[in-house]
Every structure is written in C-alpha cells, then in structure tokens.
Amino acid sequence: MTYDKLAGGIRRALLTSLLASAAMAAQAQDKPQDAPQDKKDATTLDRIVVTAQSREQELQDVPIALQVVDASAIETTAATTIGDLDSFIPGLEVSDGQPTQTRFKLRGLSTDDIGIGTDPTVGVYVDGVYAGRGGGTVLPFLDVERIEVLKGPQGTLFGRNTAAGAISIITRRPSQENEGRIRVRAGNHDVRHVDATFNAPINDTMALRINALHDETGGWLRDAATGKRLNDGRNDALRVAFGWDISANTRMLLSWDHEKLDQRARPSIGIVDLDPDTGLPEFPADPAHYRNPFDMPAVTDVAGNDETRDFDGGTLQIEHDFAWGRLTSTTAWRHYETLNRAEEDATNRQYLYIDTNNVEDNTTRYQEFKFSGNTDRFDWVAGASWFKESAKQSSIVDLNSSSVDTAAMYALGVPIFSVLQMVADMYEVPVQLLGNPWTESYDNTLQSTAYAAFGDVIWHATDKLNLTFGLRYTRDEKKFTWYNGYHSADALNAALQVLDDAGILAAVGQDAGMPLSAEMLAAMDLAFQDPISMANKGVLNRASNSWSDVSPRFVVDYHLSDDTMVFASLAKGYKAGGYNAFSPGAHFENEEVWNFETGIKRSLAGGRFQFEASAYRYKYDNRQAIWLDTTQVVPRYVTNVSDLTATGAEFSARWFPTSALQFDFNLGWIDSTYDRYVTPEGVDLSGKPTGEPQLSYALGGSYRMELGEAGSLTFSGRHGYRGASRCNASSNTQGNCGRYAAFRIGGASNRTDLFVQWRSPQEAWSVAAYANNVFDHRYVTGLNQYGTTVFGTVGATISEPRQVGLEVQYRY
C-alpha cells in the first residue's frame, strides 16, 4: 500500500469517526430526558467573551472579522508559540523559522523584520501592550487564556502598526483561588517540555500568580559530515503577576516576564552539486539543476551558528472606577537583546564560506491612559498613549579570505590571494593568506517616539441599530543613523603588509598588469557594492523625519433578530514611514490602507450553531516591502514600496451538538494584486498577483467521553490547509515561490494534529498523547540565495517532520 493511499485511508477513518460521533450525539439529544440538559450545556459553551473593541463583548456582537483561539486549542495542539497555530487561522501566516526575525502576514500583508528602519504591518499585543517588532513578539505561551486575531485595520482601537490587523494575546490574571499545575511533555527528536503554574491569595485583596516554562529539543536535522545536531536548542521563561484590589473601586496588576532563548540558527541545505574535480558549484547557478533538498545532506561550517534572545518586560496596570466610568493606566517596559548567525552558503567548504549575523538591542517604553464608560445609549472609549523605542542593530556578513578569493576569481578573473600565497610559498615568506576572517558590517540606530489620542463611541440608536465612530490621531517621530565601515580582516592585512614590505605585491601586480598594495587590498569591500554605500564607507549618516495621521473607522450594525446581526464598516489603517537600513539617507513615506467590509453573524439551534461571514476590499498605498536585491555581487536586502488592491471573503462556524461534542470551521479567500510595482531588478509587476494563496481553511472537532468512576477521555483533531502561492515573474529571485524540476516552493500545504487525553474523575491528573503533522507532510519553505551571485551556492529550508509525544499533568 502506498503512503498516499494509507494517508487517505486514515483521513477517511477519522472523518467517519467524527461523523459517527456526531450522529450518536444527535441521537442522544433527541431523547426527551436528555434534551433540556444538553441545551443548557450547549448554551453555556456558546458564550465567548472578547475585548477586541476595548470592551467586554460577546463574540457575536462584535462587528469585526475576528477569530478566537482559546486555551483548549493551544493545549490540544501542544503549541508553545503563536507560530505553532497559524496553520489553523486562515489568512494568518507566521514565519518563525528564525524567532528573532519573525514575519507576520495577515490577509496578504506583511513586512519582513530585517532592519530596524521598518516596522511590522501586523501588531502583536500582550494584555493590551504593544509587543514591538519581530524580535520580541514570538515568545513562549505562559498561562494564555485566549488569542484574538483581528483582521483588517485596527489602528483606531489598537494603535500603531496594525494596518493589516492585530493579534491580541490575553493571559490569565491572579485570582483568590488556590490553584496550581505542572505539566511534563516528552516527544521524538528529544523534545522535553515542563511548565508549571502557581496561584495563591496573599490576603483578601492580594494574589500572586507565577508561571515557569522550560522547553528543549534535540532537533530533527544532523550535520551529515560531523553527526552534530543542527537545530537543537532550549527556551526558558518565567512570568510573575501580582494582583491587588486596593479598594472597592481601585485595582492594580503588576507583571514581569523573562525569557532566554538559546538555539542553533536556521540550518540551510545545499541544493547545487559541487564539481568533483574543482570543488566549485556551477556558476552562475542554473535553477534547472537544483536538487531536491530532502535528498541532499545538510552540512555547515559556521562557528557559533547560534540564535539567542534575552528578553525582560514589566507591566503596571491600574484601574479605577468613577461614577461616570473607568480610568485605566497602563505602563510598560520591554527590553531584548538578540543574535542570529546563520549559514548562507549551505556547504562546509571554507572557500565558499559566507554567513550573516543579525545583532539587535531593543528597548521600548509605553504609557497609555484610557477612559471608558457607558449609558443607555452610548458605550465609549477614549484615551492617549506614548511609545518610545531605542534600538541598535548590526547587520554583519562574515566571509574569509578563501571565499573572498573565490569571489574575486568570478568577479575579476583572478584568485588574488591564491596567487599571492603561491608566490609567498615560492619565496619562503612565512605568511598565511587563506582562511583568515573577513567581516563586513552595517550598523544602524533608531530613536522612535509615537504619540496618539483616540476615541471610539458606539451609539445604540435603537434597540436594533448601532452606529460606531472611532478616530485616532498619531504622530511618529524617528531619528536614524547608518554606518557602513570598511571590512575587518586584521590577520589578512598583517600578512599582506609582510608581502608589501618584501616587495612581492608590487612585483606580482606588475606581472598581472594591475597595481597591488597592502592598502589597495585592504580597501576591498564586497558586501555592499551599491554606489551610495560605497561612497559612504566609514561615514556616519543621520536622518530624522516625522509623520502624522488621522485614522477613522465607521461601523453600522443592525440586529435583524435576537440571533442575527449584519454589519458594514469602513476603516483606515496607517503605518509610519521609515528607512532603508542598507542605503544611507534612503527613506520612505508612511503606509495607508482603506478597508471596506460587510458581513453577517448568526446564531441558530438555540445557540448550538454559530456562523460569521464577511466580504472585504482594501486598497493599500505605499506598502513597504523587504526585497533581496540580486543585482549586486553580494545580494543586499532593500526596502521598496508598492500599491496593491485585494478582495476577499471569510467564513467561520462553530457547532455544539452537545456539551460533549463540538466542531469549528474557518475559511478564507483572497485575490490580491499589485496596482503599481517595479522591483529593484526593473521587473514591472503591476496587475500581477502579490503571491498570496487564494484559499485557506481550517477545521477541528473534539469529543469528550465520560467513563464514570474511571474519569473521561477527550478526542481532538484539527486540520489546516493553505492553498498554493500565486507566483509572479520575480518570485524565483526571492526564493519564496516557484516551481523547479525537483521541487516546488509555495505549493499547497496541509497539517493535521491529533490529541487524546484521559482525565481522572476529579481531573487532578491527566495523561495525553499527541501527534502534530500526523501525516508527515514536508515542504520546501524557501531558498537562501545570499551566496548565489557570489559563488553559485544555493541553500534551501524545509519544514519540520511529524512530532509525537506524551504528556502528564497534575493540577489542584
């Protein structure tokens, strides 16, 4: 039996099982003696409270396209970060193969987190506090109650950098209950996970909640030459929250978060053959000859190829109730330091060596005052906020004199250092020219300040009609610096000076027909060959700009009945302008998006079945994008802009046949094309697709079987599908979409997770087994082409294999 037939059989068996469970549950609810109890349980399950509009509202009453991921979904998928859940959230894509440089995409909109000159398009918030840029967003889940994914511009309520939407993570607060939990997981690839929660009242008005986590993996990829693991690592996190009811009207919450990530950097698998005689790849690289990375060995020669992060953050929230409403003050501080040194040539040959190293130090401060209240006719929220970011970043390219020698051979026709070494050996001059470190660095700093004032009012015009008007004024001020120093190669320069003093450089240069000197060779800089950067070598450049914006939103929602609401909204999104971190003086203006959306939310069968459907169209102007410019000797990341338009539709549903059985389904469709866009290579993509897949969906279900005095069993399954990317004429140069002879990037993808858990009668103990990506679907996720135009090397990244494990949990 083939694998596809086996997988198909398993899928059919799972579907049959779920349908059979639904049929049995439906038969059970038809019995007169069971119906009242089932209806009560289903109604209880139906109520989902969210804070998407800065107010507590039931999900069905919120006129926003919104998907909620609750704690049970996080538990049954064994998810540790938001990156483990995006397969089950249509329209959301989290690229967290490098968690210190994460990219969020929502409804086809994103900005890669490459340089501190750009901001993300999707805002991530933890308990209402903006998490900042990618390096500090994908943190391990600690005591998460739910995640709200808000699609479409959310600037009026959430603020900066939510032009595409917002991800709001809500954690549990300290309570007056004595409770605790410890959970241990172990799985294949040497996965070891321990997390614990402790909550206790200090007195009648104070409570303390502590969460700790240790996550460790041995990795699923090994170096074919050394046998060492290529993607092992560990993550430790701690969260402490202190709650205090200062008086009957005043409450305080103080929390502190700490995380330490230490893992191998993203591995890269070479997909071009090396000539057995010369040891060199084909140059220039021919995509027709790319090999399937699943058939190729993985090797690296990067010393210290690590990805690390140290994160600390504190939040103080104070609420006070007045006769007219509530005042909430939120004060927050975040700091992280990251390092990410990754393989780029995908070989272990020193003469082809190139790696990139991103080093960042980031501190943010945030203060918000929010006023809220309500009357019979109005619900209102208003406030002001201040945000300050101080960041330093070094974008480093590491080579060595052997790989520079190879690059010189391709670029100049002469392997300069090999020739000099041969002459030095001939005259017995004791120098070593090959294998010496060679480093290029681009250093940037950012000082960013954002001020905002906002208001949002819901007018209950009638018992059925609500009109919402929101407005936010934002001012962003940024100061930026560039410093592109000369390359660093001290050992090589010392050796060259010896040759210069001996007169060998002048002699060889005369024979070769080119002037050679230690000073000339020391000035060779390969990493950034664009004229602007070369003209600014060793010069500190500064720039400052400011941008202001007024972002409104208008919403009309009408309740056709107690269980049916229709709505329409028009909202503007905004993101401040910024800087191209790799081109001194280059800046771009702010982004703007207008989004129109209309939809319906309905509840049927006494609350047992809910669905939401919406259609939208947005126009995005001046969208900032990160692009790998392959026209240079060594490619460089640049930021350029485009205009685009998208039309889409979304549907989601939840069905609770009984309190024991539930299903959910989410679907998204989008057609996104460029209005105006010319790439750095000069390719006109106007009218072409932006690459976003048109269709994605996710479905899940769970069933709880009561075993009486033996406890209970819970069966859960979840499947996510993302359609094929719509490639355009420049997709291949970016390495994120394309069809090759041996593989495809950006094809349709599937993921299925299963979870089975036994709970003791009082639910103090539980034992579970889980399987993520149970059918072991594997994909090529991208190409690393940083060394392609230099040496002809090409690397590929691949998705994770199936993960299975066991879990034991104790709670009181």
Side-chain angles (χ1 to χ4, degrees), residues 6 33 47 60 353 792 802:
L6 177 61
Q33 64 270 25
R47 189 173 186 270
Q60 291 299 97
Y353 185 92
R802 174 175 46 237

Side-chain angles (χ1 to χ4, degrees), residues 191-227:
V191 167
R192 297 176 292 279
H193 172 100
V194 180
D195 67 86
T197 298
F198 170 80
N199 185 96
I202 298 174
N203 55 34
D204 291 342
T205 61
M206 299 179 183
L208 183 68
R209 193 173 186 92
I210 302 174
N211 298 275
L213 173 147
H214 172 78
D215 207 11
E216 190 171 348
T217 177
W220 43 267
L221 196 61
R222 289 181 179 269
D223 190 302
T226 66

Side-chain angles (χ1 to χ4, degrees), residues 141-426:
F141 287 147
L142 280 174
D143 213 21
V144 173
E145 180 180 304
R146 68 182 184 277
I147 302 169
E148 300 175 8
V149 180
L150 291 75
K151 302 175 183 180
Q154 304 298 326
T156 302
L157 289 169
F158 280 84
R160 66 191 324 266
N161 301 335
T162 56
I167 299 172
S168 179
I169 301 174
I170 295 94
T171 65
R172 292 184 176 89
R173 301 170 69 97
S175 69
Q176 285 295 310
E177 295 185 11
N178 274 300
E179 61 173 304
R181 184 199 70 191
I182 183 167
R183 175 170 53 191
V184 178
R185 290 182 188 145
N188 59 334
H189 311 302
D190 292 330
V191 167
R192 297 176 292 279
H193 172 100
V194 180
D195 67 86
T197 298
F198 170 80
N199 185 96
I202 298 174
N203 55 34
D204 291 342
T205 61
M206 299 179 183
L208 183 68
R209 193 173 186 92
I210 302 174
N211 298 275
L213 173 147
H214 172 78
D215 207 11
E216 190 171 348
T217 177
W220 43 267
L221 196 61
R222 289 181 179 269
D223 190 302
T226 66
K228 295 181 178 180
R229 300 179 188 272
L230 289 178
N231 54 355
D232 56 330
R234 59 181 292 169
N235 200 350
D236 296 286
L238 176 68
R239 176 179 174 82
V240 180
F242 169 70
W244 181 18
D245 293 337
I246 301 173
S247 70
N249 297 322
T250 308
R251 296 162 299 281
M252 183 190 81
L253 177 66
L254 177 65
S255 63
W256 175 68
D257 293 272
H258 172 75
E259 184 237 21
K260 186 174 182 61
L261 172 72
D262 187 359
Q263 65 180 32
R264 301 288 182 192
R266 174 259 305 149
S268 186
I269 302 173
I271 58 172
V272 293
D273 289 321
L274 302 182
D275 187 278
D277 295 325
T278 65
L280 295 172
E282 180 181 21
F283 189 86
D286 186 348
H289 299 159
Y290 288 174
R291 302 282 296 275
N292 188 336
F294 289 102
D295 299 331
M296 299 293 285
V299 294
T300 185
D301 53 1
V302 177
N305 61 320
D306 295 325
E307 183 172 16
T308 65
R309 174 175 58 206
D310 287 287
F311 175 93
D312 287 283
T315 302
L316 172 64
Q317 189 175 80
I318 299 176
E319 296 179 342
H320 182 77
D321 295 329
F322 296 90
W324 48 262
R326 175 177 296 174
L327 167 63
T328 303
S329 169
T330 302
T331 307
W333 171 85
R334 302 281 187 273
H335 175 78
Y336 66 82
E337 296 178 2
T338 67
L339 178 148
N340 183 10
R341 187 177 185 183
E343 169 79 59
E344 295 295 349
D345 61 280
T347 75
N348 57 0
R349 309 296 178 92
Q350 282 290 298
Y351 55 86
L352 298 173
Y353 185 92
I354 183 170
D355 74 53
T356 56
N357 189 4
N358 181 73
V359 181
E360 186 175 347
D361 186 303
N362 187 289
T363 301
T364 60
R365 298 170 178 85
Y366 180 74
Q367 176 63 56
E368 179 188 71
F369 294 102
K370 183 165 62 180
F371 307 87
S372 61
N374 62 79
T375 65
D376 291 340
R377 286 296 183 186
F378 296 96
D379 288 335
W380 56 274
V381 176
S385 66
W386 171 85
F387 176 84
K388 176 74 173 179
E389 178 181 16
S390 300
K392 296 186 296 183
Q393 183 179 38
S394 293
S395 303
I396 302 167
V397 178
D398 291 307
L399 305 100
N400 61 54
S401 54
S402 297
S403 56
V404 173
D405 190 59
T406 303
M409 180 182 66
Y410 288 134
L412 306 176
V414 179
I416 296 176
F417 298 132
S418 292
V419 172
L420 291 175
Q421 184 68 61
M422 181 177 63
V423 175
D425 293 342
M426 183 186 305

Side-chain angles (χ1 to χ4, degrees), residues 629-674:
D629 184 1
T630 58
T631 62
Q632 307 300 315
V633 174
V634 176
R636 62 192 177 100
Y637 287 100
V638 299
T639 307
N640 58 350
V641 297
S642 62
D643 298 337
L644 57 90
T645 299
T647 302
E650 293 172 343
F651 176 84
S652 63
R654 294 167 301 282
W655 179 32
F656 307 114
T658 71
S659 60
L661 181 66
Q662 55 184 290
F663 299 96
D664 61 83
F665 177 73
N666 296 274
L667 179 143
W669 177 87
I670 186 172
D671 179 21
S672 177
T673 57
Y674 291 112

